[in-house]
């Protein structure tokens, strides 16, 4: 392999990891072009090394994305852009896929520099969040000052949302970074560094009053621990659980529809809105159970309600804030089955990837973080969130490889 290719792949990943704390702090929208950039490099690498091949995961992903594009034909949402969201998602997702082989390639050749860079930038990013939040968004307002009081209010509202995105990105990376610390740092530093990172992240979550981030972090710690002690069973079990969550999404929407009919008064506004969204989607699902209402149809739902604070709010704000509900609402049973097929196609590659307890803990954390956050907040088709997930998958390949044979079941892991 040419030294130029080695340096280029290393340099591309190095640049993206360095930029990630700043891009995340700004709201994360820049993650999509960064991972697209890595995907292009990864695709060129595969062609150069003659390792390009279509996998079962890619085939399942292509089928799912193709169905998404087809459903746009009957969607009530009609964008003015020539390059529509489903076309952009189709192209970007397929390129995103090739980012992880680039991580794998660079991780085999120059792992330590990238490993320490990822650990340090993650702690740095969490520290930035805490400083900004403790200073009432002082950092954000310093670099993006407001001209008057009203503009400052809007700046703070935007900053609160942007930092919420940054927190969820770090929650997504929490397990790989933690397992790297345990594997690479000296024993005297590993656990304190891990505690510092998790502590800063938890503090940022509490300061920003981000319940989704707190739930995600708790889920990551639980899944990471379970994966570490049951490395053979946990990752596959979590993937199967994710399939169950998607297939059972209409059931949750059904119960949410009953909540909306007689909501109690003590539910926080954000959760009240979520439940109303899911309940509204129940009626759409039963009207279009097989093929759905069409890609991005949620953007055209304009029904409103009066919130507890007196504001009139659109019931479904751009998307249902739940990946499973959105998949069923817009793409129906066919879309849910194809999405489940994508997840099912990951089971064998994930089992092959797990070479150590650290690998199992890290990938378990990424799976549960993706599931929790996707089930409670972002839209299922948001490019930047897809890019974040692929970035997290890429970082898994920076974990050190195991030098010991991989036992075939958890009993042998426990004995060892």
């Amino acid at each position: 392999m040419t030294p130029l290719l080695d340096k280029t792949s290393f340099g591309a990943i190095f640049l993206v990891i360095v930029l990630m704390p700043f891009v995340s702090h700004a709201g994360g929208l820049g993650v999509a072009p960064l991972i697209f950039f890595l995907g292009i490099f990864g695709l060129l690498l595969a062609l150069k090394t003659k390792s390009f091949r279509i996998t079962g995961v890619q085939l399942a992903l292509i089928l799912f994305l193709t169905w998404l594009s087809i459903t746009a034909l009957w969607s009530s949402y009609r964008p003015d852009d020539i390059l529509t969201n489903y076309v952009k998602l189709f192209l970007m997702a397929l390129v995103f896929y090739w980012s992880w082989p680039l991580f794998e390639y660079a991780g085999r050749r120059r792992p330590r520099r990238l490993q320490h860079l990822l650990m340090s930038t993650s702690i740095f990013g969490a520290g930035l969040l805490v400083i900004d939040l403790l200073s009432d968004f002082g950092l954000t307002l310093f670099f993006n000052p407001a001209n008057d009081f009203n503009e400052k209010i809007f700046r703070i509202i935007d900053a609160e949302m942007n930092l919420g995105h940054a927190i969820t990105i770090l929650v997504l990376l929490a397990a790989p970074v933690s397992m790297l610390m345990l594997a690479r740092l000296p024993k005297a530093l590993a656990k304190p560094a891990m505690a510092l990172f998790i502590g800063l992240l938890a503090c940022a979550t509490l300061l920003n009053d981000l319940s989704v981030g707190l739930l995600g972090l708790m889920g990551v710690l639980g899944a990471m621990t379970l994966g570490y002690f049951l490395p053979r069973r946990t990752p596959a079990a979590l993937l199967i659980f994710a399939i169950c969550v998607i297939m059972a999404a209409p059931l949750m929407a059904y119960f949410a529809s009953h909540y909306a009919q007689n909501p109690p008064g003590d539910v926080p506004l954000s959760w009240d809105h979520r439940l109303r969204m899911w309940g509204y989607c129940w009626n759409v699902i039963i009207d279009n159970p097989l093929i759905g209402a069409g890609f991005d149809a949620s953007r055209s739902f304009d029904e409103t309600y009066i919130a507890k604070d007196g504001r009139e709010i659109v019931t479904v704000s751009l998307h249902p804030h739940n990946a499973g509900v959105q998949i069923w609402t817009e793409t129906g049973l066919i879309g849910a089955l194809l999405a489940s097929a994508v997840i099912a196609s990951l089971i064998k590659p994930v089992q092959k990837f797990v070479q150590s307890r650290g690998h199992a803990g890290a990938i378990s954390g990424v799976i549960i973080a993706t599931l929790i956050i996707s089930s409670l907040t972002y839209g299922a088709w948001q490019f930047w969130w897809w890019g974040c997930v692929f970035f997290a998958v890429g970082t898994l390949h920076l974990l050190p490889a195991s030098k010991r044979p991989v036992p075939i079941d958890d009993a042998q892991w426990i004995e060892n």
Side-chain angles (χ1 to χ4, degrees), residues 86-365:
Y86 61 85
V87 173
K88 287 187 282 189
L89 181 63
F90 192 102
L91 296 175
M92 295 183 80
L94 294 183
V95 174
F96 285 165
Y97 176 88
W98 291 100
S99 61
W100 74 262
L102 190 70
F103 274 93
E104 185 182 42
Y105 177 83
R108 288 199 306 264
R109 285 157 176 78
R110 301 186 182 188
R112 287 192 177 271
R113 290 183 183 179
L114 294 176
Q115 289 166 351
H116 287 280
L117 181 66
L118 178 64
M119 289 185 285
S120 58
T121 54
S122 297
I123 293 177
F124 173 73
L128 274 183
L129 287 169
V130 172
I131 292 171
D132 206 1
L133 288 164
L134 285 175
S135 63
D136 292 326
F137 306 104
L139 278 178
T140 297
L141 293 172
F142 177 78
F143 289 102
N144 189 19
N147 295 322
D148 53 45
F149 179 77
N150 289 332
E151 188 176 347
K152 181 180 179 180
I153 295 298
F154 287 108
R155 285 274 196 278
I156 290 175
I157 292 172
D158 288 341
E160 187 176 1
M161 181 185 68
N162 289 342
L163 298 196
H165 289 184
I167 289 169
T168 54
I169 293 172
L170 284 177
V171 168
L172 197 57
L173 297 175
V177 171
S178 298
M179 291 296 101
L180 262 181
M181 289 173 174
L182 291 179
R184 278 297 179 223
L185 296 180
K187 289 185 178 180
L189 292 177
K191 290 183 179 179
M194 181 178 168
L196 173 64
F197 172 58
I198 297 298
L200 286 172
L201 185 51
C203 184
T205 301
L206 293 171
L207 288 171
N208 205 39
D209 195 23
L210 189 68
S211 56
V212 172
L214 186 59
L215 288 172
L217 186 57
M218 291 170 61
V220 166
L221 293 175
M224 187 169 60
T225 303
L226 195 60
Y228 189 86
F229 288 105
L230 296 173
R232 273 305 184 198
R233 299 180 184 180
T234 303
L238 289 174
L239 289 173
I240 294 171
F241 177 63
I243 292 173
C244 294
V245 169
I246 290 175
M247 296 307 298
L251 187 62
M252 186 182 66
Y254 169 74
F255 286 118
S257 69
H258 287 282
Y259 164 87
Q261 293 173 10
N262 187 25
D266 56 348
V267 178
L269 184 61
S270 61
W271 286 98
D272 176 74
H273 194 185
R274 281 187 182 90
L275 291 166
R276 289 178 182 273
M277 281 191 282
W278 302 341
Y280 180 93
C281 288
W282 165 248
N283 294 317
V284 181
I285 292 171
I286 60 175
D287 286 341
N288 309 274
L290 184 61
I291 63 174
F295 185 87
D296 265 351
S298 300
R299 290 176 175 268
S300 66
F301 300 162
D302 55 6
E303 183 176 309
T304 62
Y305 74 101
I306 303 300
K308 290 182 292 185
D309 60 2
R311 291 181 297 157
E312 184 178 10
I313 300 177
V314 176
T315 304
V316 179
S317 301
L318 296 179
H319 52 79
H321 291 65
N322 180 288
V325 171
Q326 186 170 0
I327 288 169
W328 273 91
T329 300
E330 298 184 1
T331 68
L333 173 62
I334 295 175
L337 290 172
L338 290 173
S340 299
V342 174
I343 298 173
S345 70
L346 293 170
I347 294 177
K348 285 187 177 180
V350 164
Q351 289 177 327
K352 183 180 179 181
F353 169 80
V354 175
Q355 300 177 15
S356 68
R357 293 182 184 275
H359 284 78
I363 201 166
S364 297

Side-chain angles (χ1 to χ4, degrees), residues 358-373:
H359 284 78
I363 201 166
S364 297
V366 169
I367 292 169
I368 202 66
T370 303
L371 179 61
I372 291 174
I373 296 169

